[in-house]
Short mmCIF file of all heavy atoms in Angstrom, two decimals:
data_model
loop_
_atom_site.label_atom_id
_atom_site.label_comp_id
_atom_site.label_asym_id
_atom_site.label_seq_id
_atom_site.Cartn_x
_atom_site.Cartn_y
_atom_site.Cartn_z
N TRP A 272 63.50 180.93 133.66
CA TRP A 272 64.17 181.65 132.58
C TRP A 272 63.49 181.56 131.23
O TRP A 272 63.69 182.42 130.38
CB TRP A 272 65.64 181.27 132.50
CG TRP A 272 65.95 179.81 132.52
CD1 TRP A 272 66.23 179.05 133.60
CD2 TRP A 272 66.01 178.92 131.40
NE1 TRP A 272 66.46 177.75 133.24
CE2 TRP A 272 66.34 177.65 131.87
CE3 TRP A 272 65.81 179.08 130.03
CZ2 TRP A 272 66.47 176.53 131.05
CZ3 TRP A 272 65.95 177.97 129.20
CH2 TRP A 272 66.27 176.73 129.72
N ILE A 273 62.67 180.56 130.95
CA ILE A 273 61.99 180.50 129.65
C ILE A 273 60.99 181.65 129.47
O ILE A 273 61.01 182.32 128.44
CB ILE A 273 61.33 179.13 129.41
CG1 ILE A 273 62.44 178.10 129.13
CG2 ILE A 273 60.34 179.17 128.24
CD1 ILE A 273 61.95 176.70 128.89
N PRO A 274 60.10 181.93 130.43
CA PRO A 274 59.20 183.08 130.25
C PRO A 274 59.96 184.40 130.08
O PRO A 274 59.54 185.26 129.32
CB PRO A 274 58.37 183.10 131.54
CG PRO A 274 58.45 181.72 132.06
CD PRO A 274 59.79 181.20 131.65
N ALA A 275 61.09 184.53 130.75
CA ALA A 275 61.88 185.75 130.61
C ALA A 275 62.45 185.87 129.20
O ALA A 275 62.47 186.96 128.63
CB ALA A 275 63.01 185.76 131.64
N LEU A 276 62.89 184.76 128.62
CA LEU A 276 63.41 184.79 127.25
C LEU A 276 62.31 185.07 126.23
O LEU A 276 62.52 185.78 125.25
CB LEU A 276 64.11 183.47 126.92
CG LEU A 276 65.42 183.19 127.64
CD1 LEU A 276 65.90 181.79 127.33
CD2 LEU A 276 66.46 184.21 127.24
N LEU A 277 61.15 184.51 126.47
CA LEU A 277 60.04 184.70 125.53
C LEU A 277 59.55 186.15 125.49
O LEU A 277 59.06 186.62 124.48
CB LEU A 277 58.88 183.77 125.88
CG LEU A 277 59.16 182.28 125.67
CD1 LEU A 277 57.96 181.45 126.14
CD2 LEU A 277 59.47 181.98 124.21
N THR A 278 59.68 186.84 126.59
CA THR A 278 59.23 188.24 126.63
C THR A 278 60.37 189.18 126.27
O THR A 278 60.23 190.39 126.43
CB THR A 278 58.69 188.60 128.01
OG1 THR A 278 59.71 188.40 128.98
CG2 THR A 278 57.46 187.77 128.35
N ALA A 279 61.48 188.66 125.81
CA ALA A 279 62.65 189.44 125.37
C ALA A 279 63.27 190.25 126.51
O ALA A 279 64.01 191.19 126.27
CB ALA A 279 62.31 190.34 124.20
N GLY A 280 62.99 189.91 127.71
CA GLY A 280 63.64 190.56 128.84
C GLY A 280 64.38 189.51 129.64
O GLY A 280 63.78 188.84 130.47
N PHE A 281 65.65 189.34 129.37
CA PHE A 281 66.43 188.28 130.00
C PHE A 281 66.40 188.43 131.52
O PHE A 281 66.75 189.46 132.07
CB PHE A 281 67.86 188.29 129.50
CG PHE A 281 68.65 187.12 130.00
CD1 PHE A 281 68.36 185.84 129.56
CD2 PHE A 281 69.65 187.29 130.92
CE1 PHE A 281 69.08 184.75 130.02
CE2 PHE A 281 70.38 186.20 131.39
CZ PHE A 281 70.09 184.93 130.93
N LEU A 282 65.93 187.40 132.18
CA LEU A 282 65.81 187.34 133.64
C LEU A 282 64.88 188.42 134.21
O LEU A 282 65.05 188.85 135.33
CB LEU A 282 67.19 187.40 134.31
CG LEU A 282 68.12 186.23 134.00
CD1 LEU A 282 69.44 186.41 134.72
CD2 LEU A 282 67.49 184.91 134.39
N ASP A 283 63.88 188.84 133.43
CA ASP A 283 62.90 189.78 133.95
C ASP A 283 61.92 189.11 134.91
O ASP A 283 61.27 189.77 135.69
CB ASP A 283 62.08 190.41 132.81
CG ASP A 283 62.74 191.65 132.28
OD1 ASP A 283 63.72 192.11 132.88
OD2 ASP A 283 62.26 192.17 131.24
N GLY A 284 61.80 187.81 134.80
CA GLY A 284 60.83 187.10 135.62
C GLY A 284 61.09 187.21 137.10
O GLY A 284 60.19 187.16 137.91
N GLY A 285 62.32 187.39 137.49
CA GLY A 285 62.67 187.49 138.90
C GLY A 285 62.77 186.12 139.55
O GLY A 285 62.36 185.11 138.99
N PRO A 286 63.32 186.08 140.72
CA PRO A 286 63.53 184.80 141.40
C PRO A 286 62.21 184.21 141.89
O PRO A 286 61.24 184.93 142.13
CB PRO A 286 64.43 185.18 142.58
CG PRO A 286 64.14 186.61 142.83
CD PRO A 286 63.82 187.21 141.49
N THR A 287 62.19 182.89 142.03
CA THR A 287 61.01 182.22 142.58
C THR A 287 61.14 182.00 144.07
O THR A 287 60.18 181.62 144.71
CB THR A 287 60.76 180.87 141.88
OG1 THR A 287 61.91 180.05 142.07
CG2 THR A 287 60.47 181.05 140.41
N TYR A 288 62.33 182.21 144.63
CA TYR A 288 62.47 182.08 146.08
C TYR A 288 62.01 183.38 146.74
O TYR A 288 62.04 184.45 146.14
CB TYR A 288 63.92 181.74 146.47
CG TYR A 288 64.95 182.73 146.00
CD1 TYR A 288 65.22 183.89 146.71
CD2 TYR A 288 65.67 182.50 144.83
CE1 TYR A 288 66.17 184.80 146.28
CE2 TYR A 288 66.62 183.41 144.39
CZ TYR A 288 66.87 184.55 145.13
OH TYR A 288 67.80 185.45 144.71
N PRO A 289 61.55 183.31 147.97
CA PRO A 289 61.05 184.51 148.63
C PRO A 289 62.19 185.43 149.06
O PRO A 289 63.28 184.97 149.38
CB PRO A 289 60.32 183.96 149.86
CG PRO A 289 61.02 182.67 150.15
CD PRO A 289 61.43 182.12 148.81
N THR A 290 61.92 186.72 149.07
CA THR A 290 62.88 187.68 149.63
C THR A 290 62.62 187.71 151.14
O THR A 290 61.51 188.03 151.56
CB THR A 290 62.68 189.07 149.02
OG1 THR A 290 62.83 188.97 147.61
CG2 THR A 290 63.70 190.05 149.58
N VAL A 291 63.63 187.36 151.90
CA VAL A 291 63.47 187.25 153.35
C VAL A 291 64.32 188.32 154.03
O VAL A 291 65.48 188.51 153.67
CB VAL A 291 63.91 185.84 153.83
CG1 VAL A 291 63.76 185.70 155.33
CG2 VAL A 291 63.11 184.77 153.11
N TYR A 292 63.71 188.97 154.98
CA TYR A 292 64.40 190.01 155.76
C TYR A 292 64.34 189.67 157.25
O TYR A 292 63.38 189.09 157.71
CB TYR A 292 63.72 191.38 155.59
CG TYR A 292 63.78 191.93 154.20
CD1 TYR A 292 62.69 191.84 153.35
CD2 TYR A 292 64.92 192.55 153.73
CE1 TYR A 292 62.73 192.35 152.07
CE2 TYR A 292 64.97 193.06 152.45
CZ TYR A 292 63.88 192.96 151.63
OH TYR A 292 63.93 193.46 150.35
N ARG A 293 65.38 190.06 157.94
CA ARG A 293 65.37 190.05 159.41
C ARG A 293 65.35 191.51 159.82
O ARG A 293 66.03 192.34 159.22
CB ARG A 293 66.62 189.38 159.98
CG ARG A 293 66.74 187.92 159.64
CD ARG A 293 65.93 187.02 160.51
NE ARG A 293 66.60 186.85 161.79
CZ ARG A 293 65.99 186.49 162.90
NH1 ARG A 293 64.70 186.30 162.90
NH2 ARG A 293 66.65 186.36 164.01
N ARG A 294 64.54 191.85 160.80
CA ARG A 294 64.47 193.22 161.30
C ARG A 294 64.95 193.24 162.74
O ARG A 294 64.69 192.31 163.50
CB ARG A 294 63.04 193.75 161.25
CG ARG A 294 62.61 194.06 159.84
CD ARG A 294 61.32 194.81 159.80
NE ARG A 294 61.59 196.22 160.11
CZ ARG A 294 60.69 197.04 160.62
NH1 ARG A 294 59.49 196.64 160.89
NH2 ARG A 294 61.00 198.30 160.85
N MET A 295 65.67 194.28 163.08
CA MET A 295 66.18 194.44 164.44
C MET A 295 65.73 195.78 164.99
O MET A 295 65.88 196.80 164.35
CB MET A 295 67.72 194.38 164.45
CG MET A 295 68.31 194.50 165.84
SD MET A 295 70.12 194.63 165.84
CE MET A 295 70.59 193.11 165.07
N HIS A 296 65.15 195.72 166.18
CA HIS A 296 64.74 196.93 166.87
C HIS A 296 65.74 197.16 168.00
O HIS A 296 65.94 196.29 168.84
CB HIS A 296 63.32 196.74 167.44
CG HIS A 296 62.79 197.95 168.11
ND1 HIS A 296 61.87 197.89 169.12
CD2 HIS A 296 63.02 199.28 167.91
CE1 HIS A 296 61.55 199.10 169.52
NE2 HIS A 296 62.26 199.96 168.80
N VAL A 297 66.37 198.31 168.00
CA VAL A 297 67.34 198.66 169.04
C VAL A 297 66.80 199.90 169.74
O VAL A 297 66.42 200.87 169.09
CB VAL A 297 68.74 198.96 168.44
CG1 VAL A 297 69.74 199.26 169.55
CG2 VAL A 297 69.23 197.80 167.60
N TRP A 298 66.75 199.85 171.06
CA TRP A 298 66.22 200.98 171.81
C TRP A 298 66.99 201.19 173.09
O TRP A 298 67.71 200.31 173.56
CB TRP A 298 64.73 200.78 172.09
CG TRP A 298 64.42 199.70 173.09
CD1 TRP A 298 64.19 199.86 174.43
CD2 TRP A 298 64.28 198.30 172.85
NE1 TRP A 298 63.93 198.65 175.02
CE2 TRP A 298 63.97 197.68 174.07
CE3 TRP A 298 64.40 197.51 171.70
CZ2 TRP A 298 63.78 196.30 174.19
CZ3 TRP A 298 64.22 196.14 171.83
CH2 TRP A 298 63.91 195.55 173.05
N VAL A 299 66.83 202.39 173.65
CA VAL A 299 67.48 202.76 174.91
C VAL A 299 66.41 202.76 175.99
O VAL A 299 65.35 203.37 175.83
CB VAL A 299 68.13 204.16 174.81
CG1 VAL A 299 68.79 204.53 176.13
CG2 VAL A 299 69.14 204.19 173.68
N THR A 300 66.68 202.05 177.10
CA THR A 300 65.73 202.02 178.21
C THR A 300 65.86 203.31 179.03
O THR A 300 66.77 204.11 178.81
CB THR A 300 66.01 200.82 179.13
OG1 THR A 300 67.32 200.95 179.68
CG2 THR A 300 65.90 199.51 178.36
N GLU A 301 64.96 203.47 179.98
CA GLU A 301 65.00 204.67 180.83
C GLU A 301 66.27 204.74 181.67
O GLU A 301 66.73 205.81 182.03
CB GLU A 301 63.77 204.71 181.73
CG GLU A 301 62.51 205.01 180.97
CD GLU A 301 61.31 205.16 181.88
OE1 GLU A 301 61.50 205.33 183.10
OE2 GLU A 301 60.19 205.12 181.37
N SER A 302 66.84 203.57 181.97
CA SER A 302 68.09 203.55 182.75
C SER A 302 69.31 203.83 181.87
O SER A 302 70.43 203.89 182.38
CB SER A 302 68.24 202.21 183.45
OG SER A 302 68.33 201.17 182.50
N GLY A 303 69.11 203.96 180.55
CA GLY A 303 70.21 204.28 179.66
C GLY A 303 70.88 203.08 179.02
O GLY A 303 71.87 203.22 178.30
N ASP A 304 70.35 201.88 179.28
CA ASP A 304 70.92 200.66 178.69
C ASP A 304 70.36 200.45 177.29
O ASP A 304 69.23 200.83 176.98
CB ASP A 304 70.58 199.44 179.55
CG ASP A 304 71.21 199.52 180.93
OD1 ASP A 304 72.29 200.12 181.05
OD2 ASP A 304 70.61 198.98 181.88
N LEU A 305 71.15 199.82 176.46
CA LEU A 305 70.76 199.53 175.08
C LEU A 305 70.24 198.10 175.00
O LEU A 305 70.85 197.18 175.55
CB LEU A 305 71.99 199.70 174.18
CG LEU A 305 71.81 200.13 172.75
CD1 LEU A 305 71.06 201.44 172.67
CD2 LEU A 305 73.14 200.25 172.07
N HIS A 306 69.11 197.90 174.33
CA HIS A 306 68.53 196.57 174.12
C HIS A 306 68.23 196.39 172.64
O HIS A 306 68.01 197.35 171.92
CB HIS A 306 67.23 196.42 174.92
CG HIS A 306 67.45 196.17 176.36
ND1 HIS A 306 67.42 194.92 176.91
CD2 HIS A 306 67.72 197.03 177.38
CE1 HIS A 306 67.66 195.01 178.21
NE2 HIS A 306 67.85 196.28 178.51
N ARG A 307 68.20 195.12 172.22
CA ARG A 307 67.84 194.83 170.83
C ARG A 307 66.98 193.58 170.78
O ARG A 307 67.07 192.69 171.61
CB ARG A 307 69.09 194.69 169.96
CG ARG A 307 69.98 193.56 170.32
CD ARG A 307 71.22 193.52 169.42
NE ARG A 307 72.20 192.68 170.06
CZ ARG A 307 73.48 192.99 170.22
NH1 ARG A 307 73.94 194.13 169.77
NH2 ARG A 307 74.30 192.17 170.81
N ARG A 308 66.13 193.56 169.76
CA ARG A 308 65.26 192.41 169.51
C ARG A 308 65.17 192.21 168.00
O ARG A 308 64.90 193.15 167.25
CB ARG A 308 63.87 192.65 170.07
CG ARG A 308 62.90 191.55 169.74
CD ARG A 308 61.91 191.32 170.85
NE ARG A 308 60.90 190.35 170.49
CZ ARG A 308 61.07 189.04 170.53
NH1 ARG A 308 62.22 188.55 170.91
NH2 ARG A 308 60.10 188.21 170.20
N THR A 309 65.39 190.96 167.56
CA THR A 309 65.38 190.63 166.14
C THR A 309 64.10 189.85 165.82
O THR A 309 63.72 188.95 166.57
CB THR A 309 66.61 189.78 165.78
OG1 THR A 309 67.77 190.44 166.26
CG2 THR A 309 66.74 189.61 164.29
N THR A 310 63.47 190.22 164.70
CA THR A 310 62.26 189.51 164.28
C THR A 310 62.40 189.12 162.80
O THR A 310 63.29 189.61 162.11
CB THR A 310 61.01 190.41 164.43
OG1 THR A 310 61.20 191.60 163.69
CG2 THR A 310 60.76 190.75 165.88
#
């Protein structure tokens, strides 16, 4: 927060923790069943 205050943009610096995403792939097999996989 100090660099953000010094540049006159309160909280412009952004978080220091990483932005983490989980992705899910959902697909239909040839037999018509639904499957999913999360990465």
Side-chain angles (χ1 to χ4, degrees):
W272 48 267
I273 287 179
L276 291 174
L277 292 177
T278 59
F281 187 69
L282 297 180
D283 272 352
T287 59
Y288 57 84
T290 302
V291 180
Y292 296 100
R293 296 279 282 157
R294 287 191 79 205
M295 181 187 299
H296 183 208
V297 183
W298 70 96
V299 180
T300 62
E301 289 185 16
S302 62
D304 296 329
L305 210 56
H306 283 262
R307 63 182 163 228
R308 175 146 175 81
T309 309
T310 57

